[in-house]
Amino acid sequence: MKKVLLLICIFYLGVNSSNAQVGYAYRVGFKDKVGSLTFADSLQFLSQRALDRRARQGIALDSTDLPVVQAYIDSVELVSNSIKLHNKSKWMNQIVIITRDSLKRIDIENLSCVTRVELVAEYTNYNPKTLDKPIGLSAKKFPEVQSIPANKTAGDPAFYGVAYQQISMMNGDYLHDQGFWGEDMHIAVLDAPFKGYNSYVAFDSVNNDGRILSTYNFIKDTAYILGYNYDHGTNVLGTMAGDHPNTYVGTAPKASYHLFLTEDISSEKPIEEDNWVSAAEVADSAGVDIINSSLGYTDFVKPTYSYNYATHLDGNTTMIARAANIASDKGMFLAIAQGNAGNSAWHWMYTPGDADSVYSVGMVNGSGDWGGSGYGPNADSQIKPDGMAMGSSANIIGGPGIPVVSSGSSFACPILAGSAACLWQALPNLTEGQLRALIHSVSDRFTSPNNTHGYGIPNFQLAYNVALGTDEFENQDKQEIDVYPNPAQGEVKIRVKQDMLPYDVQFLDLSGRVVFKESGINTFNYRNSYIQNLPKGTYVIQLKAKNNKMAQSKLIIE
């Protein structure tokens, strides 16, 4: 009798478990790629545009470009009795599958091709097409949107409308004056929902021109990114793609865009990093030039998955930071929001803003003062943020498609990314590393970065002129610094005015690496013969006087 009752109990437990429709998402890593496609099949997993970007920057294909072995995927799906293959990552050589049975983890771990299995999400009521309903938003990442005050006036010139101050702060409008509006630059926006992107008047241009190249919802595995009553992704997109003259014009209004929904606003689970990695890989395969991501992670629903600064935020430990670095290695410029936690107990940046090779962006207000974005450096002492843009009381496109005021590094990041896209359009032969170093070098705190501003606010007019050898900054400061001969061979001379003495000097190559430095120079006419040890090319000479006065000049070594 007891045996019968036990069987009945087991039966009802099984029924209840089935009715609950639980879902367990497992990240499964593989040991190798033996049996994958080869580099000869590259057009099956990379677009011609992606291959062209690599060729232009001298980037060779490597094992991370090869797809995950299909036979390995099939084995995991079989033994796990999976109900869905959620995503796969060739960069990390892993997949995420979803199963109803948590005990299947053991069967997955026993496969000889598997190296690790991690639970990255649990769903109490999982439907392959509809995830749990949202239970609230993460306030730390998504600031409240406020209406424009009644006394707000349009900026000058009127063409940019209320968006003028945030672009003119960086001289991004100068690039527009030179004819660079982002044409043929492809930008992937990895973000939260994009409500209204297809209907707001500010997006008429990008929609009518067919410059929304693709959309994808990496949470639900569908191209449909609408259906959410939330528009953070739309706000971000508008700062770049907005094109409503005399009302609102963004920083890259003629660029083309991929809109990728990776952030599940219902809760924080590690699977969101998998969504982000998948989106970055799709962006790479599509030949994207710039990734903008106004997302960041530290805390998850289960504290055991959360990150701490010292252990995890060293620029190359979290999975999302490692993926961001790989994306940079593939030749894409990554603009990553630094987060808004500068005034909280956790005052650091979020990941992947800590990543070694991304350009992380903090926020300032209209006067250039720090706006409360996350602190740097990362745990490996690398300067973060990389730069700043206007994010405190920034103007964005809100619902129903009209300009509103909001604050957050979420908006500083794309404002800067759009101008970076226009600069790269103007200087297409730069590698990603050269572009990032150039933007660093023309920022207002480059010679004295700090933990809140990093290298500071970039000057895109100066960047353009430095790269073309028509540096107006250098011409204006001839009375402070004179470099000759230029181009130089064997020796270069630097002449300064008396109020620059004493000063420190450093030479940087175009990757931003310091190749020579000397301190305490106390002569008006300084000679340097170390340049004979340097390869031919273009360098930046930077001087900092004891009174904190600064000057810089370009030097060509022949």
Side-chain angles (χ1 to χ4, degrees), residues 104-172:
K104 292 297 183 180
R105 174 174 185 161
I106 298 172
D107 297 324
I108 300 171
E109 290 174 331
N110 286 335
L111 290 172
S112 61
C113 61
V114 170
T115 58
R116 69 187 187 284
V117 180
E118 303 166 83
L119 181 67
V120 291
E122 294 181 50
Y123 302 102
T124 57
N125 186 21
Y126 182 80
N127 181 303
K129 294 185 178 180
T130 305
L131 298 181
D132 297 354
K133 293 182 179 180
I135 58 175
L137 303 178
S138 175
K140 70 179 185 184
K141 288 191 296 186
F142 303 123
E144 292 295 322
V145 175
Q146 306 150 359
S147 298
I148 292 181
N151 62 352
K152 182 72 176 179
T153 58
D156 180 30
F159 172 77
Y160 289 94
V162 295
Y164 177 65
Q165 184 180 24
Q166 55 207 40
I167 188 173
S168 63
M169 176 181 288
M170 306 177 299
N171 287 334

Side-chain angles (χ1 to χ4, degrees), residues 267-281:
S267 64
E268 297 286 63
K269 300 181 177 75
I271 196 171
E272 293 178 57
E273 292 192 50
D274 296 274
N275 298 339
W276 194 98
V277 174
S278 289
E281 292 186 19

Side-chain angles (χ1 to χ4, degrees), residues 86 93 158 161 198 242 248 361 385 388 399 416 467 486 508 530-531 541:
H86 176 60
N93 197 20
N198 62 335
Y248 191 102
V361 185
M388 307 292 280
L416 190 148
N486 194 2
L508 300 93
Y530 183 81
I531 66 166
I541 299 176

Side-chain angles (χ1 to χ4, degrees), residues 21 42 46 135 205 228 230 248 253 280 361 398 480 489 530:
Q21 293 294 292
S42 59
L46 291 171
I135 58 175
S205 174
Y228 299 86
Y230 197 65
Y248 191 102
V361 185
E480 307 295 347
Q489 292 180 331
Y530 183 81

